[in-house]
């Protein structure tokens, strides 16, 4: 799960996806395309919206996306078009580029919609982000279950 700072959107995406995939053999992680917040815990507003949905993300620490992530992980879900461009720049071949998905295309196929950056807004933005990510992650989890069982 990839966003810009790895303190607002992608920590929530990681927490939501990890919660949904508890019974699946799946490793979920997150990172940011920028390094401003490396080592920091998720934004308190992300922690709050997660907690009221029974998901704990406080132990996460921000890290920067690295090119080896595109090798190590089978799928990279980015939050917005800017993250997409920055992630694709790290790819070393076409196979790695094909692993990069706009996360809301899971719930809104072909739309290329962004998960809006909530950093400069209020709590409402974090609820919207949570709801968008919950919907997309549910679909991704169902796809994974089908792949793993098929
Ligand atoms: P995120 O949000 O990419 O969802 O973690 C942001 C966090 C920090 C900044 C921008 C967006 N920033 O400019 O510091």
């Amino acid at each position: 799960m990839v966003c810009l700072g790895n303190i607002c959107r992608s920590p929530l995406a990681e927490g939501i996806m990890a919660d949904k995939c508890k019974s699946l053999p799946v490793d979920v992680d997150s990172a940011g395309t920028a390094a401003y917040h490396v080592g920091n815990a998720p934004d308190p507003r992300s922690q709050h919206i997660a907690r009221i949905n029974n998901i704990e993300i406080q132990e996460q620490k921000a890290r920067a996306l690295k090119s080896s992530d595109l090798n190590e992980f089978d799928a990279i879900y980015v939050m917005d078009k800017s993250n997409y461009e920055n992630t694709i720049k790290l790819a070393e071949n076409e196979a790695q580029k094909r692993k990069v998905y706009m996360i809301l295309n899971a719930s809104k196929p072909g739309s290329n919609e962004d998960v809006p950056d909530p950093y400069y807004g209020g709590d409402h933005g974090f609820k919207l982000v949570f709801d968008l990510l919950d919907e997309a992650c549910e679909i991704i989890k169902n796809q994974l279950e089908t792949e793993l069982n098929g």
Side-chain angles (χ1 to χ4, degrees), residues 3-10 36-37 117-120:
C3 64
L4 176 64
N6 193 209
I7 56 164
C8 296
R9 292 165 293 176
S10 59
Y36 327 124
H37 297 280
D117 182 348
Y119 187 62
Y120 293 106

Side-chain angles (χ1 to χ4, degrees), residues 76-135:
I76 312 276
Y77 293 96
V78 299
M79 302 296 127
D80 66 29
K81 294 178 199 70
S82 162
N83 309 150
Y84 184 87
E85 297 303 329
N86 289 323
T87 301
I88 288 287
K89 280 184 202 152
L90 290 178
E92 287 163 349
N93 54 50
E94 290 304 312
Q96 291 184 355
K97 288 183 189 171
R98 283 196 296 272
K99 293 181 181 180
V100 185
Y101 304 96
M102 293 280 285
I103 193 165
L104 293 188
N105 281 350
S107 44
K108 304 175 189 199
S111 68
N112 291 332
E113 271 184 41
D114 296 342
V115 178
D117 182 348
Y119 187 62
Y120 293 106
D123 288 343
H124 176 74
F126 284 78
K127 175 162 177 16
L128 174 64
V129 167
F130 185 95
D131 291 345
L132 290 169
L133 291 176
D134 190 55
E135 186 184 19

Side-chain angles (χ1 to χ4, degrees), residues 16-145:
I16 292 167
M17 194 64 189
D19 185 63
K20 290 183 187 296
C21 292
K22 270 191 267 204
S23 63
L24 298 177
V26 172
D27 286 329
V28 186
D29 198 1
S30 66
T33 59
Y36 327 124
H37 297 280
V38 167
N40 292 356
D43 187 286
R45 296 165 295 177
S46 284
Q47 292 191 39
H48 176 72
I49 192 70
R51 191 166 297 126
I52 62 179
N53 286 279
N54 297 313
I55 295 172
E56 280 300 334
I57 62 170
Q58 68 188 25
E59 300 300 330
Q60 291 185 33
K61 292 272 173 289
R63 72 172 179 91
L65 184 69
K66 47 190 194 293
S67 56
S68 59
D69 289 322
L70 282 100
N71 196 35
E72 192 171 326
F73 291 91
D74 298 314
I76 312 276
Y77 293 96
V78 299
M79 302 296 127
D80 66 29
K81 294 178 199 70
S82 162
N83 309 150
Y84 184 87
E85 297 303 329
N86 289 323
T87 301
I88 288 287
K89 280 184 202 152
L90 290 178
E92 287 163 349
N93 54 50
E94 290 304 312
Q96 291 184 355
K97 288 183 189 171
R98 283 196 296 272
K99 293 181 181 180
V100 185
Y101 304 96
M102 293 280 285
I103 193 165
L104 293 188
N105 281 350
S107 44
K108 304 175 189 199
S111 68
N112 291 332
E113 271 184 41
D114 296 342
V115 178
D117 182 348
Y119 187 62
Y120 293 106
D123 288 343
H124 176 74
F126 284 78
K127 175 162 177 16
L128 174 64
V129 167
F130 185 95
D131 291 345
L132 290 169
L133 291 176
D134 190 55
E135 186 184 19
C137 287
E138 183 68 20
I139 292 165
I140 295 166
K141 187 263 290 179
N142 289 336
Q143 289 168 350
L144 266 173
E145 242 170 359

